[in-house]
Amino acid sequence: MRELNKQDMIDVLYGCTVLGTGGGGPLEEGLALMEQHFEKGETLKLIKLAELPDDEYAVTPYGCGAPSASGKDPKFAGLKLAEESAPVLAVQALESVLGKKIYAIGSTELGGANTAEALHAAIEMGLPLLDADPAGRSVPELQHSTYYIKDVPIYPMGVATHFGEKIVIQNVQNDLRAEDIVRAIAVASDNLVGVADHAHQGKVIKESLIPDMITYAQEIGAILRKAKEAGEDVAKAITDEKEGKILFKGSVTEFPWETRDGFNYGEIHLKGEEDFAGDTYKIWLKNENIISYRNGEIDVTAPDLICMIDENGDPITTPGFEIGQKMTIIALPAPKAWTTPEGLACFGPKHFGFDIEYKPFER
């Protein structure tokens, strides 16, 4: 076990936003959620998977949905917001059904807001956070999880709205059905809900997750911070130290997108600058960046990470782009779990309707 202080947690969230590949929620929301803990000087206990007892329960809280760039739907204006965050409410709903307190909190994915939900829930409930993750990045669908490829049930799961309503799903036929149910609740709740799922004992959890991912995110966040402090190229610093690659530098020319069925779908079009002058780049996204094209030819695909860094060295999330906004696109390698046949069937390009084989990017 080790203890994370304010700077450690900020580094974690910055790193998670890089690894969020455009999704995982805005970093600003994650930092705002954690500010109450920072002001109190609170710290967070981080435990390795091996430190989780076999017979104790861990659970994964997070936000689910697609944040709107146009603001709150007026039909929700008359509803009072709950005082507690929706993911914490979802954990509490699960505890009431299990009849047992949760021992540890896990993150559902690495993202600026969603990982903050796990940090917040852990501190708020006085629980340690697992140094592990079932995605190693942000992902658009609930079944994009190492739990899914290892056939670990998503239920029991708690769902809570930002208006305080709590729902417990005690069983569901499969993760795809769970996705449909949760997304339907999100659509009826201003496109965002809190979820707490995979409430299982340590002996199951330890065989299911990608270890050391919170530490990995913290390392990336620290690289970013130190590069900015030194006036260095953040994208180059990250790719040099984490086996990545700079894919493109340019500015946004257009970004058509829409929210549909609880997801943000869209494209980011860029024109090249500096060494990439005269070239074009396009990223197709479903909440997260999934596939990219350079000059019309496929460049990188999921499960490899397509990450965006702005001209100030900060990570970028979708969909709030501006015409002319400058960014550097980098690739980072996918966790090994996603490059297995089972992982690619779940989260490779064919899952998203692209009839191509996954090929890892070349450094």
Side-chain angles (χ1 to χ4, degrees):
M1 185 196 77
R2 63 188 180 95
E3 199 164 347
L4 303 187
N5 61 28
K6 175 181 176 179
Q7 186 60 65
D8 295 332
M9 289 185 274
I10 291 174
D11 286 345
V12 167
L13 295 182
Y14 268 85
C16 284
T17 310
V18 173
L19 297 168
T21 66
L27 173 63
E28 297 79 11
E29 288 186 12
L31 293 173
L33 180 63
M34 295 301 295
E35 185 58 34
Q36 59 184 297
H37 304 300
F38 297 157
E39 289 178 352
K40 297 176 184 175
E42 293 177 318
T43 58
L44 172 70
K45 293 184 175 71
L46 185 72
I47 62 171
K48 297 285 189 182
L49 278 178
E51 297 177 88
L52 176 64
D54 283 350
D55 59 350
E56 295 287 357
Y57 280 85
V59 70
T60 304
Y62 55 95
C64 182
S68 171
S70 58
K72 183 180 286 292
D73 189 319
K75 75 177 181 180
F76 301 108
L79 296 178
K80 182 180 179 181
L81 294 175
E83 293 183 3
E84 187 51 270
S85 72
V88 169
L89 292 175
V91 174
Q92 293 171 350
L94 267 180
E95 286 184 328
S96 68
V97 171
L98 291 172
K100 186 173 183 177
K101 290 293 184 180
I102 299 298
Y103 183 89
I105 295 293
S107 66
T108 185
E109 63 178 7
L110 302 180
N114 268 343
T115 306
E117 294 283 7
L119 271 62
H120 166 68
I123 295 174
E124 195 74 4
M125 303 184 77
L127 302 175
L129 180 73
L130 293 175
D131 189 3
D133 183 82
R137 48 166 296 149
S138 286
V139 290
E141 302 170 29
L142 297 187
Q143 72 271 20
H144 294 153
S145 160
T146 52
Y147 285 120
Y148 180 78
I149 61 179
K150 292 178 181 290
D151 203 28
V152 176
I154 195 169
Y155 61 85
M157 59 193 302
V159 182
T161 75
H162 292 282
F163 311 115
E165 297 109 346
K166 301 178 187 178
I167 302 158
V168 174
I169 300 173
Q170 295 182 323
N171 69 298
V172 65
Q173 292 194 17
N174 54 48
D175 285 21
L176 300 176
R177 175 67 178 154
E179 172 80 25
D180 289 342
I181 292 171
V182 171
R183 292 284 171 183
I185 299 171
V187 169
S189 306
D190 204 22
N191 266 334
L192 285 172
V193 292
V195 182
D197 64 23
H198 292 101
H200 293 292
Q201 290 182 315
K203 58 188 176 184
V204 175
I205 299 288
K206 288 187 279 192
E207 297 298 320
S208 305
L209 298 183
I210 305 169
D212 304 322
M213 291 311 300
I214 300 299
T215 294
Y216 179 65
Q218 184 185 354
E219 291 169 351
I220 289 179
I223 293 168
L224 183 153
R225 171 172 53 84
K226 292 173 183 177
K228 286 183 67 175
E229 291 172 350
E232 298 172 352
D233 185 325
V234 168
K236 184 177 187 302
I238 293 173
T239 54
D240 283 351
E241 293 197 42
K242 293 300 180 183
E243 300 183 339
K245 179 182 181 180
I246 293 179
L247 301 175
F248 199 76
K249 290 186 178 183
S251 59
V252 176
T253 57
E254 59 176 325
F255 51 98
W257 69 280
E258 64 175 337
T259 299
R260 185 174 74 248
D261 302 326
F263 297 97
N264 285 335
Y265 291 89
E267 297 176 351
I268 309 164
H269 296 255
L270 304 115
K271 63 178 180 180
E273 298 182 357
E274 300 179 20
D275 293 343
F276 301 89
D279 291 352
T280 62
Y281 212 75
K282 181 178 78 171
I283 300 171
W284 183 87
L285 64 91
K286 180 179 182 180
N287 282 10
E288 284 74 27
N289 298 332
I290 300 300
I291 185 168
S292 65
Y293 304 79
R294 182 172 176 180
N295 298 327
E297 299 291 328
I298 293 172
D299 193 19
V300 176
T301 74
D304 285 342
L305 285 70
I306 305 167
C307 313
M308 304 174 291
I309 307 294
D310 72 14
E311 61 183 332
N312 298 316
D314 292 324
I316 302 173
T317 54
T318 61
F321 303 108
E322 297 180 0
I323 299 297
Q325 181 175 357
K326 298 179 186 295
M327 65 176 73
T328 301
I329 311 300
I330 68 173
L332 291 171
K336 291 181 180 179
W338 289 125
T339 63
T340 64
E342 297 82 5
L344 289 172
C346 177
F347 191 50
K350 290 186 177 180
H351 170 81
F352 297 96
F354 297 97
D355 190 20
I356 56 174
E357 298 296 330
Y358 164 70
K359 182 181 178 182
F361 72 88
E362 297 179 359
R363 294 196 71 198

